[in-house]
Amino acid sequence: MTTTIRQRPAAVILTPSAEARIAALMAKAPEGAIGVKLSTPRRGCSGLAYSVDYVTEANSFDERIETPGGTFFIDGASVLYLIGSTMDWVEDDFTAGFVFNNPNAKGSCGCGESFTV
């Protein structure tokens, strides 16, 4: 009997636009930054928010996604809230930012800053 190991799908799907933004961030990253990390700290009216920051050291519990522009980390404690999500980078005449399509979110606040699961 042979056992085959299949690769686990990434917890978050990054659009090409999000990958390009990560590459742009890493191109001007502060010294010592090894990647960009997504986490969901508790804040806002609905309880959880999306936070994207530079990371200077790897945590063994974090998920890692290798992108053409650098490593994208997902906070290990946030993965359950994010599985199946798509992360995009959107720019228009007035705003620019990461946008999340999260199937786990049961609701969000009126301003879109936070969500609940």
Side-chain angles (χ1 to χ4, degrees):
M1 178 174 172
T2 57
T3 304
T4 56
I5 299 173
R6 73 183 170 108
Q7 189 170 353
R8 185 177 58 174
V12 174
I13 297 161
L14 302 172
T15 66
S17 182
E19 286 187 349
R21 182 60 183 167
I22 291 167
L25 288 169
M26 288 307 297
K28 61 181 181 182
E31 188 174 330
I34 61 167
V36 176
K37 184 174 184 175
L38 170 63
S39 60
T40 56
R42 296 196 176 281
R43 71 168 180 247
C45 353
S46 291
L48 297 169
Y50 300 104
S51 180
V52 179
D53 301 290
Y54 290 111
V55 63
T56 55
E57 64 182 56
N59 179 326
S60 61
F61 294 107
D62 290 347
E63 292 277 326
R64 288 182 178 86
I65 300 173
E66 295 301 327
T67 73
T71 306
F72 180 71
F73 294 87
I74 303 170
D75 176 63
S78 300
V79 169
L80 288 176
Y81 306 127
L82 298 169
I83 290 174
S85 296
T86 300
M87 180 174 156
D88 194 11
W89 175 260
V90 177
E91 291 184 47
D92 64 26
D93 290 342
F94 302 103
T95 61
F98 286 110
V99 175
F100 299 88
N101 180 358
N102 186 344
N104 305 299
K106 303 295 181 224
S108 62
C109 65
C111 63
E113 283 291 314
S114 62
F115 68 99
T116 186
V117 289

